[in-house]
Structure formats: C-alpha cells, structure tokens
Amino acid sequence: MSDSNDKILEIRDLDITFKTTAGPVHAIRGINVDLKRGETVAIVGESGSGKSVTMRAAMGILAKNAVVNRGSIIFRYHHQDGSEAEVDILSKDKKWIRSHINGKRMAMVFQDPMTSLDPTMQIGRQIMEDMIWHYKTPKEEARKRAIELLTEVGIEEPEKRMKEYPHQLSGGMRQRVVIAIALACNPDLLICDEPTTALDVTIQAKIIELIRRIQKERGISVIYITHDLGVVAKVADYVNVMYAGRIVEKGTINEIYYDPRHPYTWGLLSAMPDLDTNDERLYTIPGSPPNLLHEKAGDAFAPRNKFALEIDDKADPPMFQISTTHFAATWLLDPRAPKVEMPAELRAKILRMKHEAGLDDTPAPEERATGIATDADVREEGSAAGAVTAADGKASGNTSGEVSEGVKADSAAETKAADSAKSGEGGSADTGNSGAAGAAENEEGESHA
Amino acid sequence: MHKIDYSSAPLLTVEGLKQYFRISRTFTVKAVDDVSFKIWPGETYGLVGESGSGKSTIGRSVIRLYDPTAGKIVFNGMDISGKMSHSTEGNLRVQMQMIFQDPMASLNPRKTIGDIIGEGLDIHHTYKTRAEREEAIKNILLKVGLSPEHATRYPHQFSGGQRQRVGIARALIMNPKLIIADECISALDVSIQAQVINLMKDIQDETGTAYLFIAHDLSMVKYISDRIGVLHLGHLLETGTTEEIFSHPVHPYTKSLLSAIPEPNPIVEKKRVAESYDYKTSGIHYEDGTSHLVEGTHYVKCTDEEFKKWV
Ligand SMILES: Nc1ncnc2c1ncn2[C@@H]1O[C@H](COP(=O)(O)OP(=O)(O)OP(=O)(O)O)[C@@H](O)[C@H]1O
Ligand SMILES: Nc1ncnc2c1ncn2[C@@H]1O[C@H](COP(=O)(O)OP(=O)(O)OP(=O)(O)O)[C@@H](O)[C@H]1O
Ligand SMILES: Nc1ncnc2c1ncn2[C@@H]1O[C@H](COP(=O)(O)OP(=O)(O)OP(=O)(O)O)[C@@H](O)[C@H]1O
Ligand SMILES: [Mg+2]
Ligand SMILES: [Mg+2]
Ligand SMILES: [Mg+2]
C-alpha cells in the first residue's frame, strides 16, 4: 500500500448554489475534506446540511440546477498499469467521469436505494452490469461474482434472488443490493450515504464488518455519511460535522466524541438516546435549520445556539485549531470569548462514556488540548489578536475592527448568551433537557429562523 | 403522559396473519407466517426485527395494500381482512394512515409538496374553503419542522430527511386513529429523529392516535413504544412491554438483537463483538413453536422444551 501521507481525495473550498424558482439556495459554503488511503471518514450533521450534495459533487453527479461557485475536488488513483493519476473531478465532464471514475474507482451507495436501482431490471443483471461495462468481464464470471456479493451482504438464496425485481425486495435488501453493486468493481473509494439506515442492527454489523474486511484487504478508503452516531463510533477514524453547508468541527473520532468543542456537536451528542435513561422527552437542538434561501450574516448556527456571542450575528467564525487533527468553527474558541462549558448533562454523559472506555485517568479535555484558550487568555486582551490570526486563513478576513469588538468577553456575556454563559462559568450550564424548557426553546428558535 | 386502557376493546386485532408471495413455481416467500397481535387505542406498538423479516409486509397487509393470504384483521370494530364494503374501505382510508420507508418512492415527483400533503384532504373533502386547506397545510408543515415556503417545491428538491418529514405531514394531516410508521425516522439525523419522536408523542397525547411503529433502531423503539413485538423470518417470536423485552429478553434472537445495538462510544464500540445468532445452526424451528406466557403481557413463541431451557 502507498505511504500514509497519500491523500486519495482532497476537497478544497467547495461552494455550491442551487437555482430554484424561489431563488438561489446556497447549499455548500466552502468545504474542505481530506481522505487518506485506507482510512474512513464519517460525515455527520443535520438533515439538509449538505452531506449528500458534497458527495454527489465528488462523484460528478450534481443535479442540473447546481452551480459550482468555487473549489476543487482532487481524486488520486492508479491506472491498471499501476501508474498514478490525479484529476479534478470538477474539471471533467459527466461522460468522462462515468467511463473512468464512477462505479470503477469511486462508488457510491445512495441514501435512497430505489433511486439508484432500475425498477424494470432484475437485480442480478444490475449487479453484473458495471463489471461487464468497465472491465468486459465475461458474463458467467460476472454472474458468479454477483452471487458471491449477494451472499456477502447477507442475502439468502442468492441464486433465486438474482431474478427478482427491486419492488419484490424489502427495504433493507434493496439497500444491500446497492452495496453489492458498489463493491462489484472493487473501487478505491467507497462513498456510503446512509448505507445502514434501513438495516437492523445485526445486518448493519455484518455490512460494517464486510466493508472493514475489504478495507483491510485492499486498502480502500471509505466515506460514511450517517446520522447514526453509534455506527460512526464503530467505523470512523475521523469525523466531519456539517452544519448548513459548512464543516463546523472535524477531528479524530475520539476527539469528537470525548472532547467536542462546537455547540452544534454538543447538541448532536446530547440528542442521542441513551439506553440507560428513561427521560420522558428526548433532547433536541432547539429551532430548525436555517432556510438557505435567505442567507444572513454571521454564524448560521447562532439563532439556535444558546451560547452564541454577539459577534456570531456579524461574522462567520473561522476554523480554530485545537490539536493537530482537531478543528472547530465557533467563536467560543476565540481567546477573547468568555469561557463557556459544554452543558452539564453532556459532560456527565461523556464522563460516563470515558469511564466505560477505561479513559478515567486521562486529563480533563482543557488540559489535554493544545492551542486552546485557557481561562487566563480569555480575560487578556493583549493575546487576542495573535490567537485569532493563528487560526486558518479565513480568520484574517473576518477580524475587522468591528468584528473584534464583538468577541470581547464583556459584551458577549451581557447579551444573548447571558444566562448560559454565566452558568457555564459556574460549571452548571443548563441543557434545556427537560420537556418544558426544550419545547419553549423550540418556539423561540423558530421565530429566529 | 397518556394512559392506555387495556380493558377496553383493542383498536386493531391481527390474528393468524399470513402473507405469502409466489415468485415462481418453485419459490414462494413466506413473508409473514401466522402472526397475531393487538394494538389498543392510544398505544404505540413497536415492531422490530431483521431486514426482510416481514415488518413492512405486516404494515402493508394491515392497511390492505395487499390481500392477506390468511388470517383476520379487525380495525375499529370493522373486519377489514376480506372484501370490504365501500363505506368500510372509505373509513379505513381516513382512519388508518401509513408513513413509508422509502420516502422518494412514495412521493409523486410531479406534485408539489403542498399538493402531496393536501391530497388526503382533497379526496375526502375535509375542508370548506381553499384558505382553510392552505392553512391546514401550512400548520402541518410547521409542525414537522419544514417551512410554509416549502409547499411549492417538488420532492427531488429536498434532502432525504426533509422528504421523510413530508411523508409524516401527509399522514398526520388526516388525524387518523392508527398510523403505521414504517421506518419513518431512520432517514433522519438524531436531533430531528428526537424532534419527530417528541412530535409523535405530542400528537398522541393530543389526539389519542395509536402507532404501529416499525423500526430497526432499538433505542428509539424502546423510547417510544408501550409494547414491542420481535419478528424474525415472518414469525413473531416474542412480545411484551418495552420493559419486559429490554430487561428480560427470553428468545435467543431477541437477545442477539439487543446485544448488537451500537453504542456511541468509539473505544468501546471498536472492541465490541455482538452475540451472533444463526437460525440455520440454532436448532430452533419457528414452525414448531407455540405462544408461551412468560409473565404479565410477555409471550414467547417456542416449544415446551425450549421454554424450560430459556426461562
Ligand atoms: N436539486 C436541488 N435543488 C434545490 N435544492 C437542493 C437540491 N438538492 C439539494 N438541495 C438542498 O441542498 C441542501 C443540502 O441537501 P443534501 O441532500 O446534501 O442534505 P443532507 O445533508 O444529505 O441531508 P439528509 O441527511 O436529510 O440526507 C438542502 O437544503 C436541500 O434542500
Ligand atoms: N486521465 C488520464 N490522464 C493521464 N493519462 C492517462 C489517463 N487515463 C489513461 N492514461 C494513460 O493511458 C494508459 C492506459 O490507461 P489504462 O486504460 O490502462 O488505464 P485504466 O486503468 O483502464 O484507466 P482508465 O479508466 O483511465 O482508462 C495509462 O497507462 C495512462 O498512462
Ligand atoms: N411485493 C412483493 N413481492 C414479492 N416479495 C415480496 C414483496 N414484498 C415483500 N416481499 C418479500 O417478503 C419478505 C419480507 O419483506 P418486508 O419488506 O416485509 O421486510 P422488512 O421486515 O420490512 O425488511 P426491511 O427491514 O429490510 O425493510 C422479503 O423476503 C421480501 O423479498
Ligand atoms: Mg443526504
Ligand atoms: Mg483507460
Ligand atoms: Mg421494511
């Protein structure tokens, strides 16, 4: 296998708008994604945050009304003779991508299996099709391989099933057929969009195991788009958290689960139902996702973020670096921001998780992380400017005079974040986990949106 | 929270339901094989089980998208298992609604979201003025977390999760007595799953609707259901209250299912091996089993010997 620095996919500053009758929908707003050979990256985030659109762009199959405003999607692969190749998917036309990349080197398992299966064609033929088309595999050999693949994805009596049409299969079976199609040509990069949402836990485990085995054997890279944080915990090396067309936090799986920094990630982790709790209501992130038709200045998550600072209404936060692998786009990480802790319930939940994982002796997250604002920094105006520019490139553009004002600790604590920020300092931030509070906040969030 | 009166008449009674599909002369799929269960008004019955075990088929047979091969279905006092009278069918189409598993496949791509949601209202003439109709659509869109502006968009212009909320809105707008929710949250992210589940609970408190909640995510099923049925290969293997199933699972299949729930804890999860269960080598023959009472409302399908061994 190639050396560990070898990036198979590099998405840079991807920015996409959809034209609709109601106006432009700015769905993807400057995204960077990196994937190394043999690794697994998970993309998580709210419905509508742009996960599928990002990956459809990587596959070169964006909808007709999509306009790519900026960016590049570099894909590196090997020709059959072993020589290396590098393409920017965005510079190639659909036909070229279809014959050289799609299904062959990069395969995608779609979220909605019915949309990628041909309802008029037996599933056996659908699995064989790409092998015959890309590699001119003899029919009998392709048939054998198709039966093998169906067996591998856990479909019983595969010979008989080969002759069935998609509507004759259960939802989860269809999804597994799509997985079989994706694996048929031994791709280098497998993109799984919600590959296991329709699958029960036992088959889910089987599919995950299968993908992992193939990954070990052939060193392929996998991108997992999923809502299921349990699945992410099982499969991912790295996690990208998306919100409203941006990546708001990225890090190793352990950084995201045991040391989350973005309030949206806090919300996601808080919303996971806990098998051991018997709460009457589940925690939900208040409000609804922003309407991308009406873009507004500042951090898109601000209206739903009880920890939002004044500056969040004015400028989108840059990516702040927490460790060599961990980044988050929240002004809370700016050294001038007031110190805000994650909600107490989540803190307790993470402590429980760490305890179960045998991580009890690890130092508290604050001490372990590098480059993060400490209590002292927050109050010290002097170090502020340096820290903001230390974050990635975009930061400098945002730190205009007016903007820097807003980050100041004093102004922030008095405004929106007043209550939570203060109680946060006291170490007992309220999550709004109780039914009544959650509902009330919901209302409030909606009026913002 | 809502209380269910188990001494009242059930809203839905399913007895000995069989649904077979003949694929070819030599191949018949016994998708549902002799399944019986009841749902009371205002209750949530969770149906869980492996992919292909017959969950969706049960839902589709109950709402009569299929003609059952055998068995009896009584809904709201009406026998709906055979040929139905015009008024019975009309009643069924309003009082029972289904939210489908595959959102794209169940939404007409040529219709706007507003018209898809309003379709039931149109067919059953449940409004007096156009404005009343628009108002109902607007309210239901807001209720499921979409915005009224979405009414003029088409299904393909939505993300997967947004589409699923359209399906939920379409069912809710009819104020039915029973909603069959087939994997209605599996396409949603956790926060919106939680919103939808809370929403479904609120609506249940408000209107007393019952749910047949089909899902594979056991943590959500546990959360929303009053009782649970565990299905495998077309057989209902175990049923009981949520507490009974989660605290004292009896059937080895149920046990394996519970042990496979992934936990959102990376270090723990990466090390974990779930209990495996293979029907073929288990020595269990589902056809030989009969219903055995464990305790309370907890039943397991097995032979007398298996019952002695497991309980
Ligand atoms: N063809 C299109 N025209 C207009 N808007 C679109 C189109 N395709 C996607 N969108 C919008 O782009 C945004 C991102 O959609 P995307 O499908 O990537 O979401 P997602 O993160 O995959 O969500 P989910 O988890 O629900 O699948 C959404 O607001 C969606 O409505
Ligand atoms: N996109 C490309 N850019 C540069 N050289 C290419 C490209 N595609 C093919 N080649 C050259 O043509 C030769 C023949 O390619 P070959 O058909 O073996 O590749 P392949 O593995 O079939 O991939 P492909 O799907 O791109 O055809 C390669 O050795 C390579 O040098
Ligand atoms: N219309 C049909 N024609 C033929 N076979 C069918 C039909 N519908 C379902 N089946 C078969 O019946 C069995 C049960 O399918 P069903 O859709 O009920 O499963 P399920 O439990 O809902 O699974 P999943 O969790 O994957 O959705 C499967 O073997 C399926 O292939
Ligand atoms: Mg998607
Ligand atoms: Mg070539
Ligand atoms: Mg199903």
Side-chain angles (χ1 to χ4, degrees):
Chain A
M1 221 200 306
S2 350
D3 73 278
S4 63
N5 255 343
D6 190 4
K7 280 190 195 148
I8 183 164
L9 189 73
E10 226 174 316
I11 300 181
R12 283 290 163 273
D13 202 21
L14 183 66
D15 201 284
I16 297 171
T17 301
F18 288 104
K19 282 190 252 165
T20 73
T21 47
V25 173
H26 196 180
I28 306 296
R29 305 182 300 136
I31 277 189
N32 299 314
V33 177
D34 293 279
L35 179 58
K36 290 180 192 167
R37 237 167 261 285
E39 286 183 345
T40 302
V41 163
I43 302 184
V44 301
E46 200 151 42
S47 174
S49 59
K51 306 180 296 292
S52 298
V53 170
T54 304
M55 287 309 135
R56 293 181 74 90
M59 288 283 289
I61 48 169
L62 280 170
K64 281 198 205 75
N65 63 334
V67 179
V68 177
N69 307 316
R70 298 195 302 277
S72 61
I73 299 177
I74 304 298
F75 179 58
R76 299 197 181 88
Y77 61 98
H78 295 271
H79 291 291
Q80 272 159 28
D81 62 8
S83 62
E84 282 185 29
E86 179 181 308
V87 288
D88 180 356
I89 298 289
L90 293 177
S91 72
K92 295 287 185 184
D93 59 58
K94 277 192 178 160
K95 201 168 148 230
W96 186 91
I97 295 171
R98 176 69 185 110
S99 60
H100 294 271
I101 305 292
N102 279 2
K104 188 175 183 183
R105 300 189 160 106
M106 202 195 278
M108 183 153 169
V109 176
F110 291 91
Q111 184 166 12
D112 213 335
M114 264 327 235
T115 55
S116 52
L117 290 174
D118 181 343
T120 65
M121 201 196 282
Q122 295 179 346
I123 59 141
R125 271 192 56 205
Q126 300 195 45
I127 302 172
M128 291 156 62
E129 214 182 20
D130 266 11
M131 290 185 255
I132 296 171
W133 196 70
H134 283 302
Y135 290 110
K136 318 226 162 14
T137 311
K139 211 168 159 204
E140 199 36 46
E141 197 184 316
R143 214 184 89 81
K144 270 210 201 104
R145 173 96 178 109
I147 292 172
E148 210 176 280
L149 283 162
L150 283 176
T151 313
E152 279 192 313
V153 297
I155 290 184
E156 313 230 332
E157 305 195 83
E159 287 93 347
K160 288 176 181 161
R161 295 289 187 181
M162 289 276 283
K163 295 199 199 69
E164 289 193 340
Y165 293 90
H167 77 271
Q168 295 176 310
L169 301 179
S170 80
M173 287 168 151
R174 276 179 219 149
Q175 204 157 15
R176 284 178 279 162
V177 169
V178 177
I179 293 171
I181 292 173
L183 294 175
C185 288
N186 290 321
D188 298 320
L189 170 59
L190 181 65
I191 301 172
C192 300
D193 194 351
E194 302 286 358
T196 57
T197 40
L199 302 179
D200 62 285
V201 284
T202 42
I203 300 220
Q204 196 176 64
K206 198 166 181 169
I207 298 283
I208 290 170
E209 211 34 69
L210 170 70
I211 293 174
R212 258 211 237 158
R213 204 192 71 222
I214 295 171
Q215 199 166 15
K216 272 205 203 105
E217 286 168 8
R218 303 196 35 253
I220 67 171
S221 315
V222 180
I223 295 178
Y224 250 95
I225 302 177
T226 178
H227 299 129
D228 189 330
L229 295 174
V231 170
V232 174
K234 201 177 188 80
V235 302
D237 302 311
Y238 295 94
V239 182
N240 289 313
V241 181
M242 273 190 84
Y243 187 80
R246 274 197 83 183
I247 289 175
V248 295
E249 182 160 5
K250 57 164 78 180
T252 65
I253 178 88
N254 290 357
E255 283 167 338
I256 300 295
Y257 278 65
Y258 303 129
D259 184 19
R261 296 305 181 98
H262 197 286
Y264 177 64
T265 315
W266 294 347
L268 272 187
L269 292 172
S270 301
M272 293 180 306
D274 216 328
L275 273 179
D276 328 314
T277 62
N278 284 312
D279 300 344
E280 264 306 318
R281 290 187 81 78
L282 294 168
Y283 172 81
T284 69
I285 299 170
S288 41
N291 187 338
L292 300 172
L293 269 172
H294 308 298
E295 249 185 297
K296 56 178 264 309
D299 182 354
F301 187 56
R304 305 172 66 186
N305 181 7
K306 65 192 281 188
F307 306 107
L309 308 174
E310 203 176 74
I311 186 174
D312 279 303
D313 289 333
K314 295 177 187 144
D316 225 356
M319 272 286 190
F320 289 93
Q321 183 161 14
I322 299 145
S323 76
T324 49
T325 45
H326 192 182
F327 300 83
T330 164
W331 285 116
L332 293 180
L333 292 176
D334 189 287
R336 292 159 296 177
K339 187 167 162 58
V340 171
E341 305 252 348
M342 73 174 75
E345 276 88 347
L346 180 60
R347 177 166 294 274
K349 192 174 194 167
I350 290 177
L351 276 176
R352 269 203 311 278
M353 280 162 52
K354 287 168 84 167
H355 180 75
E356 274 175 52
L359 284 181
D360 279 343
D361 295 327
T362 44
E366 282 78 17
E367 293 147 40
R368 200 167 37 137
T370 56
I372 184 63
T374 62
D375 242 330
D377 291 337
V378 173
R379 301 295 164 213
E380 247 178 77
E381 294 278 295
S383 64
V388 175
T389 36
D392 88 359
K394 270 172 277 163
S396 48
N398 281 334
T399 2
S400 63
E402 183 210 11
V403 160
S404 321
E405 279 289 284
V407 206
K408 277 187 199 157
D410 51 358
S411 62
E414 251 60 81
T415 56
K416 289 175 81 164
D419 285 344
S420 32
K422 273 181 194 154
S423 59
E425 272 176 332
S428 64
D430 168 29
T431 52
N433 206 351
S434 73
E441 281 179 6
N442 235 322
E443 233 87 75
E444 202 183 291
E446 250 137 42
S447 63
H448 264 293
Chain B
M1 268 309 1
H2 68 290
K3 273 261 173 297
I4 299 137
D5 179 8
Y6 286 109
S7 64
S8 69
L11 175 67
L12 177 79
T13 305
V14 174
E15 247 171 53
L17 179 68
K18 291 186 184 179
Q19 190 76 59
Y20 294 174
F21 297 104
R22 190 160 174 263
I23 306 296
S24 68
R25 226 163 10 88
T26 53
F27 185 37
T28 295
V29 176
K30 295 184 175 180
V32 179
D33 212 1
D34 198 9
V35 163
S36 306
F37 64 97
K38 292 185 173 115
I39 301 178
W40 272 269
E43 189 186 30
T44 300
Y45 190 79
L47 204 50
V48 300
E50 179 172 279
S51 168
S53 59
K55 305 180 295 294
S56 298
T57 304
I58 290 180
R60 289 162 164 270
S61 304
V62 166
I63 203 166
R64 287 302 310 276
L65 288 174
Y66 298 140
D67 287 325
T69 309
K72 192 169 174 190
I73 307 168
V74 177
F75 172 64
N76 207 14
M78 311 174 291
D79 185 336
I80 58 165
S81 30
K83 191 160 167 40
M84 291 179 279
S85 72
H86 199 70
S87 75
T88 302
E89 173 139 25
N91 216 308
L92 171 67
R93 296 290 162 236
V94 173
Q95 300 294 352
M96 200 193 287
Q97 295 292 324
M98 183 151 178
I99 305 169
F100 292 91
Q101 178 167 9
D102 211 337
M104 196 55 186
S106 66
L107 303 179
N108 185 338
R110 272 181 260 283
K111 283 195 166 175
T112 64
I113 295 310
D115 284 339
I116 289 172
I117 295 175
E119 195 175 19
L121 299 179
D122 299 342
I123 295 173
H124 301 285
H125 311 292
T126 49
Y127 54 88
K128 289 191 197 69
T129 63
R130 194 83 197 158
E132 199 180 308
R133 177 186 185 270
E134 304 309 306
E135 187 65 18
I137 293 171
K138 191 182 121 194
N139 286 338
I140 208 78
L141 279 171
L142 286 171
K143 213 162 198 176
V144 298
L146 294 170
S147 79
E149 288 168 36
H150 284 135
T152 57
R153 279 212 225 168
Y154 291 89
H156 74 271
Q157 295 177 320
F158 285 89
S159 77
Q162 288 167 333
R163 264 178 226 148
Q164 194 53 289
R165 276 179 279 169
V166 172
I168 294 168
R170 178 172 62 175
L172 287 182
I173 203 166
M174 299 305 290
N175 259 323
K177 286 208 163 70
L178 175 65
I179 294 179
I180 299 175
D182 188 358
E183 303 275 7
C184 73
I185 55 162
S186 57
L188 308 175
D189 60 273
V190 275
S191 176
I192 292 172
Q193 273 188 1
Q195 274 178 24
V196 170
I197 294 284
N198 287 342
L199 170 74
M200 287 176 74
K201 280 194 160 187
D202 289 345
I203 286 167
Q204 188 167 59
D205 288 343
E206 207 177 297
T207 66
T209 186
Y211 296 116
L212 174 57
F213 189 83
I214 300 173
H216 67 274
D217 180 344
L218 288 153
S219 47
M220 280 297 176
V221 171
K222 174 181 183 223
Y223 187 75
I224 194 172
S225 305
D226 298 298
R227 287 184 307 128
I228 289 174
V230 180
L231 203 68
H232 193 217
L233 303 176
H235 296 265
L236 194 67
L237 297 180
E238 189 163 358
T239 182
T241 64
T242 304
E243 166 70 17
E244 285 162 347
I245 299 291
F246 273 82
S247 306
H248 313 285
V250 170
H251 201 286
Y253 176 69
T254 312
K255 287 184 175 171
S256 79
L257 205 57
L258 296 180
S259 81
I261 304 173
E263 269 180 76
N265 190 341
I267 292 178
V268 172
E269 200 44 53
K270 288 208 165 77
K271 280 188 213 144
R272 195 158 66 120
V273 196
E275 260 173 62
S276 73
Y277 175 83
D278 184 5
Y279 178 61
K280 284 205 205 90
T281 58
S282 67
I284 303 170
H285 300 283
Y286 293 160
E287 300 78 34
D288 302 343
T290 54
S291 187
H292 287 69
L293 175 65
V294 182
E295 62 177 338
T297 60
H298 189 179
Y299 293 87
V300 61
K301 184 173 188 174
C302 58
T303 62
D304 296 346
E305 297 80 66
E306 284 161 352
F307 190 72
K308 274 197 211 108
K309 209 163 73 193
W310 297 344
V311 179

